[in-house]
């Protein structure tokens, strides 16, 4: 008989990674959040996020998905299926490209700023041959120049466009651009980044013959960030069957097959769907036309008062955006310090400039759940702080709310 010798060892628990010493959690005071996304979310929509989980393969989720899809079709003004993906807006750019094109194909990117450049850059990363028609920052794409350049650049498979360039506060005349592209190349795929326009600025996907448009939940749709939605018309679906760029997570065909079963290909962010469901109900109740009018009023209001304070608008006024206003920082004023003061002293949060415009401009967001009265306070605070920073603002009072 062999005896098994047992030894008892007391093992020290592994302590290689100590408990981290972190800053205590603090309650963030309610801010007057005037950045171009994420935008403020209505309290009722926020409350939806607190609802208990359900099985995303069950009938309750399928009902939410049916409602959300139908209402997104209304917002996109399309009869095409609208696919939703857990993603931000950049995912929308990538998702569109990998589902439409094959390596080496020629696409034209019309760029008017940072996000148009990003779209072109992703296309290049995926091995597409990208020709850019670039316009100076602050300007919209000039249809006559686009038409002439497209003529020179043909043949091309698709055209990438930004509806509203968030980095410069400029809106392209999408309807005119789409019409001229279609006239010139009836088979071209017109692919539109509508991240900072959809649900705020008119976009009629079917009527304007746009093949693909996408947006993200955190801008005009009264929702927190985390969902991307993309609509693709018949020409786009046909291309999808030929497109050889690699894709898995963003594969339209898989997403559509799941959608038809009332499901998602992956575990969906259930809470965001609760939120989006109510947000879209609120948008339908307000009505798209009324929403567009509200955004026009906000755009006009901000531009008028920024000028009256004595500041210069960055965007050419003929194409200034009704969702975001870019403002030039006056000489001698430190933009970073100004934005910090507004945030710390007034809880007014504005966005800085991007790339070469960093420190030279700031941006005021006015999209989604926003009213003129929210902008009134922000502009008043801006005027007061500018004075403290030594800027001689005209002795102008921010106008009342019409
Ligand atoms: N496209 C536009 C027009 C945008 O404004 C943004 C973000 O602001 C993006 C794309 C990228 O979106 P995200 O930051 O959600 O990835």
């Amino acid at each position: 008989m062999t005896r098994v010798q047992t030894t008892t060892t007391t093992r020290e628990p592994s302590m290689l990674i100590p408990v981290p010493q972190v800053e205590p959690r603090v309650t963030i005071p309610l801010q007057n959040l005037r950045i171009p996304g994420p935008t403020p979310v209505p309290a009722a929509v926020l409350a939806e996020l607190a609802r208990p989980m359900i099985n995303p393969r069950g009938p309750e989720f399928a009902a939410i998905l049916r409602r959300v899809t139908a209402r997104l079709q209304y917002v996109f003004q399309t009869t095409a299926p609208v696919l939703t993906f857990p993603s931000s807006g950049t995912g929308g750019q990538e998702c569109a490209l990998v589902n439409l094109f094959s390596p080496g194909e020629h696409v034209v990117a019309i760029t008017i700023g940072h996000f148009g450049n990003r779209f072109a850059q992703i296309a290049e990363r995926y091995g597409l041959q990208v020709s850019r028609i670039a316009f100076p920052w602050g300007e919209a794409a000039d249809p006559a120049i686009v038409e002439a350049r497209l003529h020179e650049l043909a043949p091309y498979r698709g055209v990438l466009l930004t509806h509203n360039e968030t980095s410069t506060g400029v809106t392209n005349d999408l309807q005119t651009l789409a019409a001229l592209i279609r006239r010139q190349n009836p088979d071209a795929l017109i692919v539109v980044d509508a991240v900072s326009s959809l649900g705020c600025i008119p976009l009629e996907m079917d009527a304007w013959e746009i093949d693909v448009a996408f947006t993200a939940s955190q801008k005009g749709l009264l929702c927190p960030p985390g969902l991307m939605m993309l609509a693709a018309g018949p020409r786009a679906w046909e291309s999808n069957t030929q497109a050889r760029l690699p894709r898995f997570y963003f594969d339209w065909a898989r997403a559509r097959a799941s959608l038809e079963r009332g499901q998602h290909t992956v575990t969906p962010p259930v809470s965001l769907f609760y939120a989006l469901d109510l947000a879209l109900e609120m948008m339908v109740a307000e009505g798209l036309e009324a929403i567009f009018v509200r955004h026009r009023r906000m755009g006009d209001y901000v531009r008028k008062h920024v000028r009256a304070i004595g500041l210069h608008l960055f965007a050419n006024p003929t194409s200034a955006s009704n969702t975001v206003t870019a403002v030039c920082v006056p000489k001698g004023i430190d933009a970073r310090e100004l934005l910090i003061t507004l945030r710390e002293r007034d809880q007014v949060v504005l966005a800085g400039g991007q790339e070469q415009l960093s420190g030279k401009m700031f941006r005021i967001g006015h999209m989604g759940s926003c009213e003129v009265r929210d902008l009134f306070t922000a502009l008043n605070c801006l005027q007061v702080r500018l004075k403290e920073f030594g800027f001689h603002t005209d002795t102008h009072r921010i106008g009342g709310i019409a």
Side-chain angles (χ1 to χ4, degrees), residues 234-312:
R235 204 180 288 102
W237 280 99
E238 207 180 302
S239 277
N240 178 248
T241 60
Q242 314 294 322
R244 285 183 290 102
L245 280 178
R247 53 189 178 268
F248 185 84
Y249 188 81
F250 284 132
D251 189 317
W252 291 356
R254 291 177 68 238
R256 189 175 183 171
S258 291
L259 177 65
E260 281 160 11
R261 292 195 305 273
Q263 294 185 10
H264 249 268
T265 52
V266 296
T267 308
V270 173
S271 311
L272 286 178
F273 273 93
Y274 292 150
L276 183 62
D277 197 11
L278 177 62
L280 289 169
E281 191 156 290
M282 291 167 73
M283 289 181 74
V284 169
E286 184 177 359
L288 277 185
E289 265 316 311
I291 292 174
F292 299 151
V293 169
R294 178 164 55 81
H295 281 83
R296 263 202 305 279
R297 282 184 62 215
M298 290 193 292
D300 288 343
Y301 182 85
V302 172
R303 288 187 290 274
K304 181 173 157 208
H305 291 294
V306 162
R307 273 204 218 96
I309 289 172
L311 296 168
H312 293 288

Side-chain angles (χ1 to χ4, degrees), residues 6 11-12 18 29 54 91 124 141 155 159 178 192 209 223 233 241 262 273 345 349 351:
T6 55
R11 275 195 62 213
E12 282 295 310
I54 51 170
E124 282 161 353
V159 181
V192 175
E209 294 190 54
C223 254
T241 60
F273 273 93
R345 308 270 300 277
V349 184

Side-chain angles (χ1 to χ4, degrees), residues 36-38 87-93 114-116 118-119 162-167 193-197 214-219 225-227 324 354 363 367:
S87 166
S88 78
T90 308
Q93 297 177 318
H114 174 77
F115 290 106
R118 183 181 292 180
F119 208 1
T162 316
H163 188 190
N164 185 80
E165 180 49 72
T166 322
S167 63
D193 174 341
V195 167
S196 60
S197 61
F214 55 85
T215 194
S217 52
Q218 77 272 20
K219 305 272 192 189
L227 276 176
V324 53
Q354 286 165 300
R363 292 169 302 148
M367 72 181 113

